[in-house]
Amino acid sequence: MSLSNPSQVLLRNSELLIAKAPLLINLPEDGFIDAYVELHQPTNIHCFNTNFIDYQALLNKHGSKVNTTFASFYQSNIHHDLVIIAFPKSKAELNFTLAMIAHCVTAETKILLVGEKKGGIQSAPKLTKEILSNCQKVDAARHCLLFVGFFQPEKLSKTFNLADWFKKYQLTVEGITLTIASLPGVFSQQKLDTGTELLLSNLPEKMSGNTLDFGCGAGIISCFIGKKFTDTRLSLLDVSALALTSAQETLTLNGLTGHVFASNSLSDVKEKYQFVVSNPPFHQGVKTHYQASEEFLAGINKRLTKQGKITIVANNFLRYQPIMQAHIGETHVITKAKGFTIYQAQLSSK
């Protein structure tokens, strides 16, 4: 894989990368680590990722040579002298990330923030002014920015309490009231999104047995199903550790249980399901995210029981119906509203 633009910007600032025990947060496996090791030969590299795909790629490439962690927050007994953070898509996630590493850095630890301009990284000094001192831009190239700053130890507690970071709210759909818990960066952190609301109002009339929530986010879909259809056995899948932790908390708050697990599309799906329900994740204009959802729809037939059903919601411009028709069976448009379409297909008996 060729070096991403943020990685190229980091490497052209080689003098800032000198460290014995660097911590790389949410950086992809794009060849950066190999280049970094060749340049500086750090004693111990630690990689923390909340994205399961990136975590797997790092683990498969580097094995035990690099300490890799997939979790919703970072824990370590090591003091890092350098932390490199890929600027998150959700600005709220940045201070969450800084708070979770307060226990393993000192006032001398360099904190590097790198990201593409279109991702909003130019707001980094403002966002971190209560945590980092002297957060300054040190480079701008390849449509990316690089900032460096240092912790203000007196401004942040060394004790990180995950429970403090959940955003909790209640919602009521079709007379069913749910309590939702969501960590920063998780889809629908503040409220029920339009697509999911439409999906919940257009589920199959009866549901029971093994039910998979693909791309579960904070667990709204599963909890609604679990409350409405008490004979379902819930499985919740997501690529994000933050989402999985949120979904588990949401289940608990609503007195429900389920199998919550990480998977790269269908990579870790082992069971078969009578029902699959999803608001498939995607980001407009980013090809790989379309591809992930399309691979899910093309492969889910192998994980459906005989006459198993799948119900999804999608933006009107997404061409999912032909894929479902080709790989699953006859696919119906249940409804269209507010820019979204509900599709439902039943596994063909062929």
Side-chain angles (χ1 to χ4, degrees):
M1 183 183 290
S2 59
L3 285 167
S4 63
N5 286 338
S7 291
Q8 292 179 51
V9 172
L10 285 169
L11 290 170
R12 65 184 245 146
N13 291 273
S14 174
E15 73 284 355
L16 293 176
L17 304 182
I18 299 171
K20 292 182 179 179
L23 170 62
L24 316 183
I25 297 179
N26 286 328
L27 268 63
E29 170 36 49
D30 63 354
F32 171 75
I33 290 177
D34 289 332
Y36 184 17
V37 169
E38 187 175 342
L39 274 172
H40 294 305
Q41 298 182 340
T43 306
N44 217 340
I45 294 181
H46 291 254
C47 293
F48 171 83
N49 290 80
T50 58
N51 183 290
F52 188 64
I53 299 174
D54 291 335
Y55 161 75
Q56 279 192 319
L58 288 162
L59 191 62
N60 292 338
K61 174 71 183 293
H62 301 285
S64 59
K65 294 179 182 178
V66 172
N67 297 284
T68 56
T69 302
F70 171 73
S72 54
F73 66 102
Y74 184 67
Q75 301 177 81
S76 177
N77 294 322
I78 294 173
H79 277 133
H80 297 286
D81 48 354
L82 169 67
V83 180
I84 304 174
I85 302 173
F87 192 81
K89 291 176 182 175
S90 164
K91 293 179 181 179
E93 194 178 331
L94 179 58
N95 283 345
F96 170 86
T97 301
L98 291 170
M100 78 176 183
I101 61 170
H103 71 284
C104 60
V105 299
T106 67
E108 287 74 44
T109 301
K110 286 195 298 286
I111 310 294
L112 300 184
L113 305 175
V114 65
E116 296 186 5
K117 291 179 182 177
K118 64 183 180 182
I121 189 172
Q122 56 264 46
S123 62
K126 182 179 179 181
L127 291 172
T128 62
K129 64 181 180 180
E130 298 298 324
I131 300 174
L132 299 182
S133 64
N134 201 27
C135 182
Q136 293 187 340
K137 181 174 69 177
V138 292
D139 199 3
R142 296 174 175 81
H143 308 290
C144 297
L145 297 176
L146 176 64
F147 289 86
V148 63
F150 296 86
F151 263 83
Q152 303 180 74
E154 72 280 2
K155 294 291 183 73
L156 205 59
S157 170
K158 294 288 184 180
T159 302
F160 178 78
N161 185 3
L162 185 67
D164 294 340
W165 291 88
F166 282 108
K167 171 75 175 179
K168 296 180 182 178
Y169 62 96
Q170 284 195 329
L171 56 88
T172 301
V173 181
E174 295 191 342
I176 296 175
T177 299
L178 302 172
T179 301
I180 309 303
S182 188
L183 291 171
V186 176
F187 185 62
S188 291
Q189 195 204 7
Q190 303 288 340
K191 61 180 181 179
L192 179 63
D193 64 284
T194 303
T196 298
E197 184 175 13
L198 186 65
L199 177 63
L200 297 181
S201 298
N202 289 277
L203 293 172
E205 289 185 8
K206 295 181 180 180
M207 296 178 68
S208 61
N210 286 353
T211 301
L212 176 65
D213 180 356
F214 180 90
C216 65
I220 296 172
I221 295 172
S222 283
C223 285
F224 179 84
I225 292 172
K227 289 286 191 181
K228 185 172 183 178
F229 304 103
T230 56
D231 289 335
T232 52
R233 292 184 295 277
L234 303 172
S235 291
L236 296 78
L237 171 166
D238 208 285
V239 74
S240 164
L242 296 171
L244 295 172
T245 299
S246 300
Q248 184 60 67
E249 181 69 10
T250 298
L251 284 170
T252 301
L253 289 172
N254 291 283
L256 297 167
T257 59
H259 176 214
V260 181
F261 65 103
S263 183
N264 175 2
S265 188
L266 298 170
S267 67
D268 287 60
V269 178
K270 308 302 180 186
E271 293 187 64
K272 288 198 172 186
Y273 300 91
Q274 182 63 34
F275 293 94
V276 175
V277 182
S278 181
N279 184 350
F282 82 97
H283 291 278
Q284 188 175 356
V286 182
K287 184 178 179 181
T288 54
H289 287 253
Y290 289 110
Q291 183 180 344
S293 294
E294 291 172 0
E295 287 177 356
F296 152 63
L297 293 172
I300 193 61
N301 56 353
K302 299 180 181 66
R303 292 299 164 195
L304 287 170
T305 59
K306 186 178 180 181
Q307 297 185 325
K309 286 184 179 180
I310 175 170
T311 307
I312 72 166
V313 61
N315 290 68
N316 286 342
F317 62 82
L318 294 171
R319 310 302 299 165
Y320 288 160
Q321 188 173 13
I323 301 171
M324 297 172 70
Q325 190 87 32
H327 295 278
I328 303 167
E330 188 172 356
T331 303
H332 301 281
V333 173
I334 305 301
T335 190
K336 285 189 175 185
K338 300 179 180 179
F340 292 90
T341 302
I342 304 294
Y343 298 107
Q344 189 173 99
Q346 184 167 332
L347 186 64
S348 173
S349 58
K350 294 180 181 179

